[in-house]
Amino acid sequence: SLVLPAVKKVLPCMPLPCCLPMTEAELLGARAWGEFCGAAVLKAAPEDFRVTEVLDIEFSGEGEHLWLLLEKRGLNTEEVARKLAKATGVSLRNISYAGLKDRVAVTQQWFSLQLPGKADPDLSSLWNDNLRCLRQLRHKRKLQRGAHSANRFLIRLTELQADQSLLNERLQLLAEQGVPNYFGPQRFGYDGGNLFDARSWAQRSAYPPARGTRSRLLSTARSYLFNQMLNERVAAGSWNVVVAGDCLAFTQSRSQFPAAELAADDQRVAQLDLHPTAALWGAGELASSDTQAEMEQAVAAQHPDLAEWLAQAGLDQARRILRLPITGLTWHYPSSDCLELEFTLPTGCFATAVLRELVELVSQAGGGIESEN
């Protein structure tokens, strides 16, 4: 059986074996909508990739937590958290953020600092062209991971070599039908390095001693198994329809229910409100059954080291939607060799999943493409 008792054995870090780089297709899976429509450069400059957190919270205006809406450029989320900790003397563990945002980008995201009995600190020395504060207020609670409801993207693809009519047709299709909800390649590190690290630990039935590293590698392993399951559905042409044994979930909900409970005349799947799901592997019973459960078990059986490692870590079985709806997708061409896109994605979903269904991308600046967490 792949579901084993939770045993957490921690070993000191050990040298990792040499490994070959993994391609995006190996880490994610097949595309759903056919060949690329052309090619383009991604992130020739940070301003070509803009992300804004969408946060639906009614602030109390008082309390021991100072919330900051910051705009950053050329900095990752953890770098900003460290800068805030150093400037205020607040422990890094008392500085919170809703999600990780890319370094090579211009992003707007929230942070909170726990300041019990303290006045607002003077942070003016931090602000410059790469980091500025857009909003500052008090709240009774700290910012939780995943507290934002969505991420809004403004992406500019440059050096575009594609037929605009083909691109327009594809974009309209994506707006109407969505894309496979793959975890993006940045989840797996450069050339899949995170996945090789996860396998190395899994094959020794051990876990990294550093909490952050352990969390990152467990997430990597879980994401990889999910992507393989989604790839099976894409290859079968069933990633966006209901099959026997499916477990369904709404776009923004963590709860799910068996597809057998869906009324025959229910239009919510066709309207991209309700989606089939696949397993985020862990201990316990699968929520799926029949054909879908057989496929999920088969994928896990192909990677027993990762599946057993996740179960031993004490992670419970969870689900993730297979189809990613794209809200408010609009586009235009500032010039014949440039495509500008605007759209909104739910938290935990990747802009990579959208872009890879359009054109072959070349990233000049490096870094990830995500709306993760």
Side-chain angles (χ1 to χ4, degrees), residues 211-280:
R211 181 178 179 181
T213 303
R214 183 164 61 251
S215 175
R216 171 170 54 84
L217 296 186
L218 287 169
S219 179
T220 294
R222 221 178 192 194
S223 301
Y224 179 70
L225 294 184
F226 173 87
N227 277 4
Q228 300 311 299
M229 295 174 192
L230 175 52
N231 178 58
E232 292 290 324
R233 292 286 291 259
V234 173
S238 62
W239 62 277
N240 54 355
V241 298
V242 178
V243 304
D246 257 336
C247 190
L248 306 180
F250 291 98
T251 303
Q252 299 282 10
S253 175
R254 294 184 179 180
S255 62
Q256 64 266 334
F257 62 93
E261 297 180 5
L262 191 69
D265 60 350
D266 198 315
Q267 296 298 308
R268 291 176 293 180
V269 174
Q271 294 168 351
L272 275 70
D273 292 330
L274 190 62
H275 316 276
T277 65
L280 293 170

Side-chain angles (χ1 to χ4, degrees), residues 102-134:
D102 192 59
R103 177 178 62 85
V104 187
V106 176
T107 68
Q108 294 182 9
Q109 68 175 119
W110 287 92
F111 292 80
S112 75
L113 293 74
Q114 189 170 13
L115 301 168
K118 298 180 180 179
D120 290 359
D122 180 6
L123 297 173
S124 58
S125 63
L126 287 180
W127 312 140
N128 53 47
D129 291 343
N130 294 323
L131 183 64
R132 63 192 184 105
C133 184
L134 303 178

Side-chain angles (χ1 to χ4, degrees), residues 142-168:
K142 78 171 189 177
L143 177 59
Q144 300 287 342
R145 290 296 289 268
H148 57 310
S149 61
N151 289 280
R152 187 166 57 251
F153 292 86
L154 173 58
I155 298 175
R156 186 183 298 117
L157 301 177
T158 57
E159 298 185 33
L160 178 68
Q161 300 180 31
D163 184 299
Q164 287 190 13
S165 62
L166 291 178
L167 267 179
N168 292 339

Side-chain angles (χ1 to χ4, degrees), residues 3-293:
V3 180
L4 301 180
V7 178
K8 298 186 179 181
K9 179 182 178 184
V10 176
L11 297 179
C13 294
M14 297 175 64
L16 295 173
C18 294
C19 52
L20 295 175
M22 298 185 71
T23 66
E24 180 185 290
E26 291 172 324
L27 293 169
L28 278 67
R31 297 188 304 276
W33 299 118
E35 296 299 320
F36 293 125
C37 296
V41 170
L42 174 65
K43 295 197 290 189
E47 287 75 14
D48 290 342
F49 195 88
R50 296 178 178 270
V51 190
T52 301
E53 286 183 347
V54 179
L55 189 70
D56 300 321
I57 291 180
E58 185 175 344
F59 293 102
S60 62
E62 59 182 8
E64 65 179 34
H65 299 278
L66 175 65
W67 286 48
L68 305 170
L69 176 60
L70 303 184
E71 182 179 88
K72 62 182 185 62
R73 179 188 187 277
L75 297 166
N76 67 33
T77 301
E78 293 170 344
E79 286 177 306
V80 173
R82 288 193 294 269
K83 287 179 179 292
L84 291 171
K86 183 177 180 180
T88 60
V90 174
S91 170
L92 193 58
R93 65 183 178 183
N94 290 326
I95 296 178
S96 305
Y97 43 83
L100 298 171
K101 294 294 178 291
D102 192 59
R103 177 178 62 85
V104 187
V106 176
T107 68
Q108 294 182 9
Q109 68 175 119
W110 287 92
F111 292 80
S112 75
L113 293 74
Q114 189 170 13
L115 301 168
K118 298 180 180 179
D120 290 359
D122 180 6
L123 297 173
S124 58
S125 63
L126 287 180
W127 312 140
N128 53 47
D129 291 343
N130 294 323
L131 183 64
R132 63 192 184 105
C133 184
L134 303 178
R135 193 177 178 191
Q136 175 176 319
L137 45 82
R138 287 277 182 158
H139 193 46
K140 293 181 178 179
R141 297 184 180 183
K142 78 171 189 177
L143 177 59
Q144 300 287 342
R145 290 296 289 268
H148 57 310
S149 61
N151 289 280
R152 187 166 57 251
F153 292 86
L154 173 58
I155 298 175
R156 186 183 298 117
L157 301 177
T158 57
E159 298 185 33
L160 178 68
Q161 300 180 31
D163 184 299
Q164 287 190 13
S165 62
L166 291 178
L167 267 179
N168 292 339
E169 290 178 8
R170 180 68 58 83
L171 284 161
Q172 188 62 42
L173 181 63
L174 302 192
E176 296 172 355
Q177 300 294 327
V179 298
N181 191 24
Y182 287 113
F183 286 98
Q186 61 274 30
R187 172 59 61 91
F188 306 103
Y190 182 72
D191 284 342
N194 288 347
L195 183 58
F196 285 106
D197 289 0
R199 283 198 186 279
S200 178
W201 287 102
Q203 288 165 3
R204 289 177 278 134
S205 298
Y207 299 87
R211 181 178 179 181
T213 303
R214 183 164 61 251
S215 175
R216 171 170 54 84
L217 296 186
L218 287 169
S219 179
T220 294
R222 221 178 192 194
S223 301
Y224 179 70
L225 294 184
F226 173 87
N227 277 4
Q228 300 311 299
M229 295 174 192
L230 175 52
N231 178 58
E232 292 290 324
R233 292 286 291 259
V234 173
S238 62
W239 62 277
N240 54 355
V241 298
V242 178
V243 304
D246 257 336
C247 190
L248 306 180
F250 291 98
T251 303
Q252 299 282 10
S253 175
R254 294 184 179 180
S255 62
Q256 64 266 334
F257 62 93
E261 297 180 5
L262 191 69
D265 60 350
D266 198 315
Q267 296 298 308
R268 291 176 293 180
V269 174
Q271 294 168 351
L272 275 70
D273 292 330
L274 190 62
H275 316 276
T277 65
L280 293 170
W281 201 263
E285 297 294 324
L286 287 169
S288 56
S289 61
D290 203 350
T291 302
Q292 178 63 14

